[in-house]
Amino acid sequence: MTSARSDSELSSNQQSMLDLALGCDLRVSDPGKHEAIKARHRAIKTNRDAAAYIHEVEDKIHSRRKFRRHVQRHPVN
């Protein structure tokens, strides 16, 4: 992605993807962090910032899935 494009405003499709990431982030995050997460989401205006946020949410979800699989395989008695 070129610098001019990464600093451009979000298209409606990109905004939809960002909104989806917000929903996922809220679902896997501690409720005490929800207001800060929503504020960050509202502040995102460029493709670069949106991509960074979406990748962070993806990483958060992948980490949670790995942990859950590990817990399910080795339950605490």
Side-chain angles (χ1 to χ4, degrees):
M1 188 180 306
T2 65
S3 178
R5 185 168 178 185
S6 63
D7 290 332
S8 64
E9 290 186 21
L10 301 173
S11 69
S12 60
N13 185 46
Q14 292 163 326
Q15 184 65 51
S16 295
M17 296 301 291
L18 183 61
D19 293 345
L20 177 61
L22 171 65
C24 294
D25 198 3
L26 293 172
R27 179 118 192 209
V28 300
S29 297
D30 182 290
K33 296 180 181 180
H34 284 193
E35 288 307 314
I37 291 169
K38 290 176 188 177
R40 180 176 179 200
H41 172 264
R42 285 190 300 272
I44 295 173
K45 302 295 182 210
T46 65
N47 289 323
R48 176 181 295 152
D49 292 342
Y53 177 68
I54 290 167
H55 288 297
E56 287 177 31
V57 173
E58 288 173 342
D59 290 344
K60 189 184 288 190
I61 291 167
H62 288 297
S63 294
R64 185 176 170 132
R65 284 181 180 164
K66 287 178 187 175
F67 177 73
R68 280 190 166 181
R69 264 190 250 135
H70 178 72
V71 169
Q72 289 173 353
R73 286 184 190 150
H74 305 287
V76 177
N77 293 328

